[in-house]
Amino acid sequence: TSTPSSIHSLVRCHLSVFAMGRAIFFDFDSTLTTPIKIDRFGRFAIADNPIIYSAMTPEEIVSNFGGGDRLYQLGVFFQSLHEAGCELFIVSIGFKDACIIPHLNKASLEGFSVCSNSDGQETDALRKHRHVKADLIKEIMERRGWTAQDALFTDDSERHITPARKVCQVLHVSGHGLTFAEMDEILKWGQRAAAVSGSAGAALGLVGASGGSTA
C-alpha cells in the first residue's frame, strides 16, 4: 500500500521528469533576427524602434530575419522544438506589442509559443525585474518547476548571458543572429532532453489518468 510520503515522492519525480528540457528562452534582436540597416532611416532595424519597424516593407522584414532561406529554417526549427516537447519563450528589451509580435506575424511565425510566451521592455513581467532577463527567466522556471538543467537561454549579449549562467543553460550567439549550426545545437539539446524524459518515464512506469503510459 502506498503511503502519502511515497505518493508525494512519485508526484515530485513525475513533475521533474516531465519538466526536463522543456524551456527555451530566446532573445529577439540579433538572435532570432539579423538586423539590417534601413537606409531611409540611416539606422538598423531593432525592436526598440517602433517607427522603423512599422515602416518596414514585407521584403525588409524577410531580410531582417536573415532572408527567405533562414526564415524558412526558423519555422522548421520552431516546429521541431515543439515536436520535441519544448516550450518556447522570447525575453527581449525590444517592444513586444509594437515590434516583436507584428513582425513574427508578418513572417508567418505566429503559430508558435514564442508569440504567446513573449516579454518585452514594456511588459509588467520584465519591468518588475528591472529588465534583468535572468531574473524573469528564473521566476518562470520556478513557477513551472524547471531546474537549471531543464531550460536554455540564448542571446547575443554577454550582458544578459552572464547573469543567466547562474540560472539555466546558455548559448551565446556567436555572430549576427543564430546560425544554422547554432539552431541545430539547440535542437539537439531539446531532443536529448525529450529522449531522457521519455525513457525515464517509461522506466518509472508512470501512468496517466486513463491508465496508459504518459511517456
Side-chain angles (χ1 to χ4, degrees), residues 58-208:
E59 293 76 16
E60 287 170 336
I61 291 171
V62 171
S63 294
N64 210 47
F65 278 103
D69 289 346
R70 185 176 182 276
L71 182 55
Y72 172 80
Q73 188 59 37
L74 272 175
V76 173
F77 174 56
F78 287 162
Q79 181 62 35
S80 298
L81 288 171
H82 171 74
E83 291 172 356
C86 297
E87 189 165 354
L88 312 182
F89 298 78
I90 289 175
V91 181
S92 172
I93 304 301
F95 286 103
K96 171 189 173 181
D97 292 334
C99 298
I100 295 171
I101 297 301
H103 272 224
L104 289 172
N105 290 340
K106 291 174 183 177
S108 299
L109 297 174
E110 73 277 6
F112 300 100
S113 59
V114 287
C115 282
S116 56
N117 293 336
S118 292
D119 279 289
Q121 67 170 269
E122 83 279 26
T123 63
D124 290 340
L126 194 53
R127 290 173 65 189
K128 178 176 71 173
H129 292 291
R130 302 183 181 221
H131 300 110
V132 178
K133 295 182 182 183
D135 290 348
L136 175 56
I137 291 169
K138 181 179 179 181
E139 178 192 332
I140 294 170
M141 289 171 59
E142 289 176 347
R143 187 167 66 240
R144 299 292 295 275
W146 285 312
T147 71
Q149 301 303 313
D150 302 332
L152 183 147
F153 171 54
T154 181
D155 197 300
D156 67 301
S157 172
E158 187 64 43
R159 177 169 68 93
H160 297 299
I161 285 288
T162 296
R165 293 183 193 279
K166 301 176 182 179
V167 174
C168 62
Q169 308 300 298
V170 299
L171 187 148
H172 189 186
V173 177
S174 60
H176 195 56
L178 284 168
T179 65
F180 290 167
E182 287 168 335
M183 291 183 205
D184 189 54
E185 185 177 346
I186 292 170
L187 178 57
K188 287 178 179 177
W189 178 86
Q191 290 172 333
R192 284 197 303 271
V196 169
S197 175
S199 62
L204 288 168
L206 299 174
V207 296

Side-chain angles (χ1 to χ4, degrees), residues 38-57:
I38 307 298
D39 290 335
R40 62 188 178 279
F41 289 99
R43 297 185 62 181
F44 283 88
I46 303 296
D48 64 358
N49 195 319
I51 293 175
I52 291 179
Y53 255 56
S54 63
M56 290 172 68
T57 66

